[in-house]
């Protein structure tokens, strides 16, 4: 099974590395304006395959995406220190206007997996440019924020993060919403589990975890210039779910007709992901404050997309 990656920068190359280490695809094609960069990454990654899985990694151009089941769009300019994801919008929308038609000309049946920030608005841009059904244009959304939330809760409770079920929804960015009210650990409500474990969650703990999730990207960018390992692993996981038709539930971003009174907006909610992309949305239970916050997040994203004409 072939996977294409358009954009061989930090995120694209980290995603390719995760695909190789996990053996997600049989063939990975890297496409980049800087063909020397794509070729160098492809060669380096190919040398990793004897230590991982038999994946054919090569550089190519758009026509080499023919037959790809998934094409990951990681093309665009990087987020600068102190820059919000939404400030990237104008620059990266112009990039997508040139990229999306070329991808679909070569691979018209592919699921488009969007990684470029601001990912929710870029998902809406890609959806409008592509003309595809909404479910076939999938943004990575808050999969990484959800992973951060679960990891920090697990650390506080001293349990495996795989036992924590909690979601972050809305924007992948400043207005994202941590769903505390529905969080569970091993099927037990978060508050009850924390008490039983002897690790109650104080308001200070909640604030610390919220900041740990919400501000993670800014800290990482300040320290090393970009985030790529976490999202690379997340994109590889989503790719595997699509290629294997797993029908797992992930907080990915998809163009949605209406969310909390806000119409036509791409944002993250728990979604069922299979071979054709997103098959269904599982709308979570929300308390009044979470509902208000999600409406605000949706409004911010809708305004940003509207400013571009999308």
């Amino acid at each position: 099974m072939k996977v294409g990656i358009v954009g061989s920068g930090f995120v694209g190359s980290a995603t390719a590395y995760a695909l190789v280490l996990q053996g997600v695809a049989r063939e990975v094609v890297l496409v980049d304006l800087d063909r020397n960069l794509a070729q160098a990454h492809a060669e380096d990654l190919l040398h990793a395959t004897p230590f991982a899985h038999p994946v054919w990694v090569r550089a190519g151009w758009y026509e080499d995406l023919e037959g790809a089941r998934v094409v990951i769009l990681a093309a665009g300019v990087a987020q600068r220190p102190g820059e919000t994801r939404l400030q990237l919008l104008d620059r990266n929308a112009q990039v997508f206007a040139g990229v999306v038609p070329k991808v679909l000309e070569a691979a018209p049946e592919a699921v488009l997996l969007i990684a470029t920030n601001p990912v929710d608005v870029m998902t809406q841009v890609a959806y409008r440019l592509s003309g595809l059904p909404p479910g076939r244009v999938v943004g990575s959304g808050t999969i990484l924020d959800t992973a951060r939330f679960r990891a920090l809760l697990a650390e506080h409770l001293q349990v495996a993060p795989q036992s924590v079920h909690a979601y972050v929804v809305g924007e992948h960015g400043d207005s994202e919403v941590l769903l505390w009210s529905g969080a569970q650990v091993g099927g037990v409500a978060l508050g009850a589990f924390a008490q039983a474990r002897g690790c109650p969650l104080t308001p200070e703990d909640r604030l610390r975890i919220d900041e740990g999730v919400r501000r993670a990207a800014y800290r990482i960018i300040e320290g090393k210039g970009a985030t790529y390992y976490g999202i690379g692993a997340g994109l590889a996981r989503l790719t595997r779910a699509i290629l294997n038709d797993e029908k797992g539930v992930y907080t990915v971003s998809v163009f949605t007709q209406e969310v909390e009174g806000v119409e036509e907006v791409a944002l993250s909610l728990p979604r069922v992901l299979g071979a054709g992309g997103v098959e269904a949305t599982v709308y979570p239970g929300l308390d009044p404050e979470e509902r208000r916050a999600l409406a605000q997040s949706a409004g911010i994203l809708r305004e940003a997309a509207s400013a571009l004409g999308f």
Side-chain angles (χ1 to χ4, degrees):
M1 292 180 284
K2 181 190 289 189
V3 173
I5 301 177
V6 179
S8 298
F10 286 124
V11 171
S13 59
T15 301
Y17 188 50
L19 291 171
V20 168
L21 290 187
Q22 297 179 29
V24 172
R26 182 65 186 88
E27 179 181 356
V28 176
V29 178
L30 301 179
V31 176
D32 198 284
L33 274 176
D34 186 342
R35 299 199 187 199
N36 289 332
L37 177 65
Q39 180 59 42
H41 277 309
E43 187 173 350
D44 196 12
L45 287 162
L46 186 65
H47 299 163
T49 59
F51 307 110
H53 295 271
V55 180
W56 181 28
V57 186
R58 63 187 178 101
W61 199 235
Y62 288 99
E63 59 267 22
D64 296 301
L65 299 174
E66 182 181 1
R69 292 267 306 279
V70 177
V71 176
I72 299 165
L73 301 188
V77 291
Q79 188 174 4
R80 298 164 178 163
E83 183 179 39
T84 68
R85 294 178 179 94
L86 291 178
Q87 288 172 325
L88 289 172
L89 181 54
D90 285 333
R91 297 188 290 154
N92 281 336
Q94 294 174 21
V95 172
F96 267 38
V99 167
V100 171
K102 294 176 183 177
V103 169
L104 289 177
E105 183 179 359
E109 302 302 318
V111 174
L112 301 185
L113 187 50
I114 313 302
T116 302
N117 277 321
V119 70
D120 302 292
V121 181
M122 295 310 300
T123 299
Q124 186 152 342
V125 169
Y127 162 69
R128 294 294 196 192
L129 290 171
S130 70
L132 294 174
R136 278 185 54 199
V137 184
V138 182
S140 57
T142 57
I143 57 163
L144 187 53
D145 310 279
T146 290
R148 289 166 176 159
F149 189 23
R150 293 178 178 184
L152 291 176
L153 284 173
E155 181 182 55
H156 178 82
L157 299 169
Q158 301 177 54
V159 297
Q162 291 81 0
S163 296
V164 179
H165 300 278
Y167 293 119
V168 178
V169 299
E171 179 198 0
H172 172 51
D174 298 338
S175 70
E176 64 190 25
V177 184
L178 281 66
L179 299 187
W180 291 92
S181 68
Q184 295 185 341
V185 184
V188 178
L190 175 62
F193 187 94
Q195 289 290 342
R197 184 70 168 139
C199 305
L201 282 158
T202 67
E204 292 76 19
D205 292 325
R206 288 178 177 245
L207 179 61
R208 171 180 54 80
I209 291 171
D210 184 283
E211 285 291 303
V213 174
R214 197 179 303 274
R215 304 295 299 177
Y218 293 108
R219 292 192 303 273
I220 294 168
I221 290 169
E222 183 178 357
K224 67 174 190 173
T227 65
Y228 38 90
Y229 291 133
I231 190 58
L235 289 164
R237 185 66 189 88
L238 295 180
T239 301
R240 187 169 74 187
I242 295 168
L243 294 180
N244 294 339
D245 195 22
E246 290 183 0
K247 304 187 190 304
V249 178
Y250 302 92
T251 51
V252 291
S253 185
V254 172
F255 179 82
T256 307
Q257 286 298 327
E258 186 272 330
V259 177
E260 295 298 326
V262 179
E263 297 182 347
E264 297 189 340
V265 61
L267 48 58
S268 286
L269 290 167
R271 321 267 191 179
V272 179
L273 190 63
V278 167
E279 298 182 357
T281 296
V282 184
Y283 208 93
L286 307 170
D287 67 21
E289 176 57 27
E290 292 165 350
R291 192 174 295 277
R292 182 203 63 78
L294 181 56
Q296 180 182 33
S297 186
I300 290 169
L301 292 168
R302 184 70 192 95
E303 183 177 353
S306 295
L308 279 182
F310 289 94

